[in-house]
Amino acid sequence: MVKLSTPFTDQKPGTSGLRKSSKHFEQPHYLESFLEAIFRTLPGVKGGTLIVGGDGRYGNCRAIDIILRMASAHGVSKVITTVNGILSTPAASNLIRKHKAIGGIILSASHNPGGPEGDFGVKLNAANGGPASESLTNDIYTCTLNLDEYKIVENSEISLESPGRHFISSMIVEVIDGVEDYLYLMQKLFDFDQISAFINKDFPIAFDALNAVTGPYASRLFEGLLGSPLGTVRNGLPKEDFGGCHPDPNLTYANELAELLLEGTNYSFGAACDGDGDRNMILGRGCFVNPSDSLAVLVANAHCAPAYKDGLAGVARSMPTSAAVDLVARDLGIDCFETPTGWKFFGNLLDTGKITICGEESFGTGSNHVREKDGLWAVLFWLQILASKQCTVDHLMSQHWSNYGRHYYSRHDYEEIPTEIANGIYNNIEKKMPALIGNSFADSSIIFADNFSYNDPVDGSITDKQGLRLILEDGSRLILRLSGTGTKGATLRVYLERYVSVHGKLNQNPQLALRGLIQDIDLMAEISHRTGMNRPTVIT
Ligand code: G1P
Ligand code: ZN
């Protein structure tokens, strides 16, 4: 038992658990306090099995050592962890489900930079394999507020260098290979022979692991099982600081890969995943696939993959994700749900079989095979569709747009804004909203404005204040949200969407197609005026 003089009061979990700078986590007893609250709150701890691993960033192995000793002190009967502590978020979700564990602790700050100067995070997943519910994370937070001690046993650090079985008092520690089970699952979902024949004929691919967790998975997947040449996987060794890079697969941070595909001719397909392996970016030669379109294309062509050949129960997208998938769902005659931002909102829909596939505009797509978004799954799914149709990314996109029309879409992020300024912009628009109805905007006029609220169709819970929506007469949508995952200041996200039917101009540059909306939202929300920034930090 270790006594705490004062409890930490800043441990309010955000969208994916607790995320702070590495330095913040290094304060004495900080990590332990949060873990103590988890062990006191998570159902089934005594006698239960727990899955533990992370994305390999600085602090990963230290945290695993502390978790093991605290788990033993709390009466956990078995912890399954992985060689070198390497475990991607979707692979962790799979292990939780496979071993009927009480949950999992994933050490990652997702796509945020790592290292002593970067960020660290602790994510808690529940027994269904998905992110802990809001009520569980709130209970954990409440518990942190009054902590005066935590339980931990003394034990010399267990080596994670190779698979093996160890004991801490009576608790079993099983160190397993964190890659194998995941690859086995992928082989059940997709036709590896068909994909392999396609990519090895005349369709060279490049995968960028951004020095993060997917490296070992991707090497064994592409260069091993699928027979791609060595070198297909770039930056494939997980590094504690991700080699100084920002492990976020978008055009800004995965720019090396983007250049290879958008400007070069050596590759026909490119993909990248984020720090913990749940996000994906898809590129074709000279062509970037917007994540909202990616979701729509996967749904429209799901029958190409063995796992989904019998059709889909339904689909879901987060509110700021474009409505491209809605049109496909309508066409297929299946339900399409609109949820708040954050993967946890898909959990109930997946658990009750209401949906099979879901996704977010933030480079996240997934299905009922696990309860997390899954980067490599999305990459394989794309390759499966291309292999089955024997076509290029560019061709598939053009075909999709000529069937359904095109949702021009972009997200503009303004990062590290002082919190008062970000709140000022947001509150100002929210206050003005009722008076905006009927006002002209870009080439149309505003017909609807609200702060999005979600009524969960499974448990009836209501989650409100999830982002400001402005909907125009021509179907365009503008959404403003404040990020829940940043660690420095505030991040304002502006989502822009404009639909052009099959009869319109389908091959414009999105930033040009959205120019009117971009200009008018800046004027209305006074973004550049109030932030002093004349352009967003990241444009996707
Ligand atoms: C961001 C994304 C969101 C995603 C989350 C975790 O959250 O926008 O879609 O679920 O990261 O990966 P935000 O920073 O916008 O709150
Ligand atoms: Zn992630």
Side-chain angles (χ1 to χ4, degrees):
M1 204 69 92
V2 177
K3 290 272 171 218
L4 292 166
S5 44
T6 39
F8 294 98
T9 53
D10 67 343
Q11 298 184 325
K12 192 158 183 60
T15 1
S16 339
L18 183 64
R19 197 180 289 188
K20 301 275 177 197
S21 68
S22 300
K23 287 219 159 63
H24 204 86
F25 265 103
E26 280 171 335
Q27 296 172 80
H29 314 303
Y30 187 82
L31 172 65
E32 291 86 341
S33 296
F34 189 62
L35 292 171
E36 177 70 18
I38 290 179
F39 284 118
R40 286 191 193 185
T41 316
L42 181 68
V45 163
K46 242 189 184 16
T49 296
L50 189 67
I51 308 296
V52 179
D55 63 11
R57 72 179 63 218
Y58 174 79
N60 198 33
C61 289
R62 168 186 169 250
I64 292 176
D65 173 53
I66 293 172
I67 293 170
L68 291 177
R69 293 190 288 124
M70 288 185 69
S72 171
H74 282 271
V76 170
S77 81
K78 184 178 186 180
V79 173
I80 299 174
T81 187
T82 53
V83 174
N84 297 323
I86 290 290
L87 185 61
S88 78
T89 290
S93 182
N94 179 42
L95 286 182
I96 294 169
R97 295 166 69 75
K98 180 182 163 185
H99 293 278
K100 301 201 170 21
I102 55 165
I105 299 178
I106 306 169
L107 304 159
S108 172
S110 187
H111 48 284
N112 290 18
E117 305 302 322
D119 289 338
F120 189 74
V122 178
K123 300 197 291 177
L124 175 67
N125 280 30
N128 73 342
S133 67
E134 204 131 81
S135 72
L136 181 58
T137 51
N138 283 340
D139 290 351
I140 291 170
Y141 175 59
T142 310
C143 181
T144 61
L145 298 176
N146 297 310
L147 277 186
D148 55 2
E149 59 188 19
Y150 63 86
K151 284 205 265 186
I152 189 161
V153 300
E154 287 302 321
N155 196 71
S156 55
E157 197 168 335
I158 284 176
S159 161
L160 300 179
E161 267 171 29
S162 54
R165 179 174 258 237
H166 311 261
F167 283 88
I168 301 181
S169 313
S170 62
M171 186 184 84
I172 301 169
V173 179
E174 190 105 36
V175 182
I176 64 168
D177 167 18
V179 178
E180 210 169 82
D181 288 295
Y182 178 81
L183 295 185
Y184 178 71
L185 174 65
M186 291 302 113
Q187 284 170 283
K188 286 202 299 192
L189 302 176
F190 301 110
D191 180 346
F192 273 43
D193 290 339
Q194 191 183 41
I195 297 175
S196 171
F198 178 68
I199 60 180
N200 293 319
K201 203 166 137 217
D202 186 21
F203 198 78
I205 65 170
F207 178 84
D208 197 336
L210 300 172
N211 304 304
V213 81
T214 51
Y217 294 82
S219 305
R220 276 160 70 177
L221 181 60
F222 297 118
E223 296 169 3
L225 294 168
L226 292 169
S228 298
L230 285 180
T232 298
V233 176
R234 317 168 79 84
N235 303 310
L237 274 185
K239 293 190 184 143
E240 285 207 325
D241 64 349
F242 307 124
C245 301
H246 194 139
D248 201 3
N250 57 37
L251 295 175
T252 306
Y253 298 123
N255 58 323
E256 251 177 56
L257 182 80
E259 265 169 41
L260 269 187
L261 269 294
L262 301 182
E263 281 150 40
T265 52
N266 289 349
Y267 296 98
S268 302
F269 179 90
C273 290
D274 73 331
D276 62 329
D278 56 359
R279 293 185 172 194
N280 74 91
M281 175 170 73
I282 304 291
L283 299 157
R285 185 178 298 170
C287 149
F288 161 73
V289 182
N290 164 303
S292 298
D293 279 343
S294 174
L295 174 64
V297 167
L298 294 183
V299 170
N301 300 286
H303 55 273
C304 295
Y308 313 107
K309 68 175 188 328
D310 295 333
L312 308 174
V315 294
R317 63 163 171 85
S318 67
M319 182 273 281
T321 304
S322 95
V325 71
D326 300 33
L327 298 189
V328 180
R330 198 187 307 155
D331 193 27
L332 295 174
I334 56 174
D335 282 338
C336 179
F337 297 87
E338 185 176 35
T339 59
T341 292
W343 205 260
K344 61 175 177 258
F345 293 102
F346 296 132
N348 278 345
L349 298 171
L350 289 164
D351 283 347
T352 53
K354 288 192 185 315
I355 61 168
T356 311
I357 292 181
C358 46
E360 298 193 275
E361 49 61 44
S362 51
F363 296 86
T365 20
S367 88
N368 57 359
H369 68 289
V370 287
R371 292 294 181 274
E372 286 280 2
K373 52 190 178 244
D374 187 344
L376 283 168
W377 165 89
V379 178
L380 282 169
F381 203 166
W382 262 90
L383 290 173
Q384 177 82 80
I385 293 168
L386 298 172
S388 150
K389 295 184 146 319
Q390 298 278 314
C391 71
T392 62
V393 176
D394 189 31
H395 181 85
L396 190 60
M397 287 318 307
S398 305
Q399 217 178 30
H400 187 87
W401 293 329
S402 61
N403 286 342
Y404 294 100
R406 181 169 177 182
H407 288 79
Y408 284 101
Y409 185 86
S410 184
R411 185 175 103 180
H412 289 196
D413 296 330
Y414 296 83
E415 295 177 351
E416 295 186 35
I417 316 177
T419 308
E420 322 77 72
I421 295 184
N423 288 340
I425 295 173
Y426 191 89
N427 297 339
N428 177 43
I429 290 287
E430 183 166 23
K431 221 168 44 223
K432 279 206 284 206
M433 274 195 322
L436 293 175
I437 313 281
N439 283 14
S440 63
F441 196 96
D443 295 331
S444 185
S445 65
I446 301 173
I447 55 163
F448 179 86
D450 77 344
N451 194 338
F452 180 66
S453 163
Y454 178 61
N455 189 344
D456 188 309
V458 178
D459 63 18
S461 62
I462 292 178
T463 311
D464 59 5
K465 299 191 169 44
Q466 293 299 302
L468 307 181
R469 292 195 289 185
L470 300 174
I471 299 180
L472 308 188
E473 199 170 11
D474 67 0
S476 297
R477 296 195 313 157
L478 288 130
I479 289 139
L480 267 78
R481 270 187 72 247
L482 296 175
S483 155
T485 60
T487 53
K488 287 188 201 124
T491 295
L492 174 71
R493 306 204 194 282
V494 182
Y495 308 80
L496 307 128
E497 173 182 345
R498 183 179 147 222
Y499 178 62
V500 174
S501 80
V502 288
H503 307 295
K505 227 170 139 190
L506 294 177
N507 275 314
Q508 292 184 70
N509 169 321
Q511 300 306 316
L512 286 181
L514 296 166
R515 192 160 55 184
L517 297 178
I518 295 170
Q519 282 167 352
D520 281 9
I521 192 67
D522 187 41
L523 286 177
M524 180 195 280
E526 302 170 6
I527 301 171
S528 40
H529 174 70
R530 288 179 183 236
T531 60
M533 295 162 80
N534 51 21
R535 57 195 326 272
T537 324
V538 177
I539 294 181
T540 302

